[in-house]
Amino acid sequence: MEFIRPDININFVGMRGKAVSFSVLLILLGALAIVWRGGLNMGVDFSGGTLIQVKFSQATTPDAIRDALKDLGIGRSAIQQVGSGSDNEFIVRSDISEEKAKRVSDDIQARLDQAYGPGKTTILRVEMVGPKVGQDLRQKALLAIYYALLFIALYISGRFELKWGTSGVMAAALLLGVYLLGLTGLSMTYLIIGALVITLVLCWILKLPYALGAVVALIHDVFITVGIFALLNKEFNLTIVAALLTIVGYSLNDTIIVYDRIRENLRGSRKGDLKDLINRSINQTLSRTLLTSGTTLLVVLFLFLLGGTVIHDFAFALLVGIIVGTYSSIFIASPLLIFYEDWAAAKGIAKRRA
């Protein structure tokens, strides 16, 4: 099915400079937001503590809720409204001890009944996570994202470069690099960043441009999605990590579609300008890309609007990820092949043809 003319010729490659500048700007804004806010707005999953979600039958404010709960020792807790304003739902986050958290739900319900009247409030959920568990979950979440990117790099290396042996060499070098970084005593965050840098350097040194383009595009998608969460000060929890892993898989699928067409066209036409060939490949897959992304986006949009507050942020992350993932497949992953070939030509390295 095609709703775009097969002979369309939009100059996507010609816009790669502006696209890269736009992506860099978004990533920098997200990084600045993280620094300015002192880190991401970590949920109870990662920070530890207690989370209580309360629904009110009447309009209220965080200050009024805080005033009603001040005698419970959680008056300084973070109180945030979730969902739309008409939902009147609030989340109370506190670092109270686990022992006290066992009875805090009943205490909160009693105080809110006293302040707002019996039957005017409903506690929807109570979640408790210890600080050590939160730290462990945070580290495992980082590892999950990293290993997803790593195995994708290995798969792309064999799938498009037809160099499974080279992929094995890269895997061994990465394991050695991560082991040596671990000996330095770096925190998990810096360890993962170092491992990602090693992955990109190895893709470059081992002449794996497809893997390099795919991994850079996926890192780009994750960074922008996380940055937007930081800009909007949305809660970052395990559900969002699940959304990020979903985004990685979705974006990779779109990138593979474009890469497959580029490889097919390279086989059929070894001569000619690489920029024109890649631009033609993107245009040839544009109808499929927009149909796939558009239908998925429509479903996620309804999930975002009608799914309720519990999965609101998850659906929002998917919305951002689908848009950014489609954008990166066209403007980041594919143009990186051009950048690599230009560099290879400048260094006198023979051009690679899959």
Side-chain angles (χ1 to χ4, degrees), residues 182-194:
L183 295 179
T184 64
L186 290 172
S187 68
M188 182 59 68
T189 301
Y190 292 112
L191 181 63
I192 296 302
I193 292 174

Side-chain angles (χ1 to χ4, degrees), residues 210-233:
Y210 286 100
L212 179 66
V215 173
V216 169
L218 296 178
I219 293 174
H220 163 278
D221 299 343
V222 171
F223 278 13
I224 289 183
T225 304
V226 172
I228 289 177
F229 265 71
L231 284 169
L232 299 178
N233 200 30

Side-chain angles (χ1 to χ4, degrees), residues 83-343:
S84 62
S86 60
D87 290 335
N88 296 321
E89 293 185 17
F90 292 81
I91 285 180
V92 181
R93 296 183 185 85
S94 175
D95 58 357
I96 58 177
S97 64
E98 186 175 355
E99 293 77 12
K100 189 174 181 180
K102 294 177 181 178
R103 64 175 187 275
V104 73
S105 177
D106 294 336
D107 292 340
I108 288 178
Q109 185 68 72
R111 291 305 175 93
L112 292 177
D113 286 345
Q114 182 180 349
Y116 292 91
K120 300 293 184 181
T121 61
T122 303
I123 293 181
L124 300 179
R125 61 173 170 142
V126 179
E127 296 179 5
M128 294 169 285
V129 178
K132 290 184 179 179
V133 175
Q135 182 181 8
D136 184 57
L137 289 174
R138 189 165 60 246
Q139 292 180 351
K140 288 181 177 179
L142 286 171
L143 284 172
I145 295 173
Y146 167 68
Y147 281 119
L149 296 176
L150 169 60
F151 284 108
I152 283 170
L154 298 178
Y155 168 74
I156 294 292
S157 301
R159 174 73 168 78
F160 288 96
E161 318 286 353
L162 301 178
K163 293 183 176 181
W164 291 106
T166 304
S167 298
V169 171
M170 185 170 74
L174 278 170
L175 291 174
L176 177 62
V178 171
Y179 173 74
L180 294 176
L181 284 174
L183 295 179
T184 64
L186 290 172
S187 68
M188 182 59 68
T189 301
Y190 292 112
L191 181 63
I192 296 302
I193 292 174
L196 286 175
V197 171
I198 293 174
T199 302
L200 296 177
V201 170
L202 284 173
C203 288
W204 189 279
I205 292 175
L206 296 175
K207 304 173 187 176
L208 303 171
Y210 286 100
L212 179 66
V215 173
V216 169
L218 296 178
I219 293 174
H220 163 278
D221 299 343
V222 171
F223 278 13
I224 289 183
T225 304
V226 172
I228 289 177
F229 265 71
L231 284 169
L232 299 178
N233 200 30
K234 284 185 169 292
E235 182 181 289
F236 193 86
N237 51 35
L238 279 176
T239 305
I240 306 307
V241 173
L244 291 177
L245 292 173
T246 305
I247 291 166
V248 165
Y250 183 88
S251 178
L252 177 67
N253 178 67
D254 201 18
T255 300
I256 285 177
I257 291 172
V258 179
Y259 275 2
D260 252 338
R261 184 55 58 90
I262 291 173
R263 189 176 62 166
E264 289 173 6
N265 288 335
L266 279 171
R267 285 174 175 172
S269 175
R270 294 180 177 272
K271 296 180 180 180
D273 186 63
L274 180 64
K275 297 182 181 66
D276 292 338
L277 186 145
I278 290 178
N279 197 70
R280 185 169 71 253
S281 301
I282 295 173
N283 278 279
Q284 288 172 349
T285 57
L286 186 60
S287 180
R288 180 176 178 179
T289 296
L290 293 182
L291 277 172
T292 304
S293 300
T295 52
T296 308
L297 192 67
L298 187 63
V299 172
V300 175
L301 178 61
F302 280 109
L303 189 66
F304 174 75
L305 295 175
L306 306 175
T309 57
V310 175
I311 59 172
H312 186 269
D313 286 349
F314 174 79
F316 176 76
L318 289 181
L319 275 176
V320 174
I322 290 171
I323 294 171
V324 174
T326 304
Y327 161 86
S328 68
S329 297
I330 295 173
F331 291 107
I332 303 297
S334 301
L336 266 171
L337 297 178
I338 299 173
F339 176 71
Y340 181 87
E341 290 289 340
D342 289 344
W343 173 84

Side-chain angles (χ1 to χ4, degrees), residues 47-91:
S47 61
T50 303
L51 179 148
I52 304 104
Q53 185 170 345
V54 187
K55 182 175 180 63
F56 294 81
S57 61
Q58 63 193 65
T60 186
T61 64
D63 289 336
I65 299 172
R66 188 175 290 108
D67 186 60
L69 302 178
K70 62 183 179 181
D71 294 335
L72 294 179
I74 59 174
R76 294 184 179 180
S77 301
I79 300 176
Q80 177 185 6
Q81 187 169 10
V82 294
S84 62
S86 60
D87 290 335
N88 296 321
E89 293 185 17
F90 292 81
I91 285 180

Side-chain angles (χ1 to χ4, degrees), residues 2-24:
E2 290 186 347
F3 66 96
I4 296 178
R5 295 195 328 268
D7 60 341
I8 192 170
N9 187 28
I10 302 173
N11 188 14
F12 291 109
V13 169
M15 294 183 281
R16 67 187 183 279
K18 294 179 181 179
V20 170
S21 299
F22 177 67
S23 294
V24 170

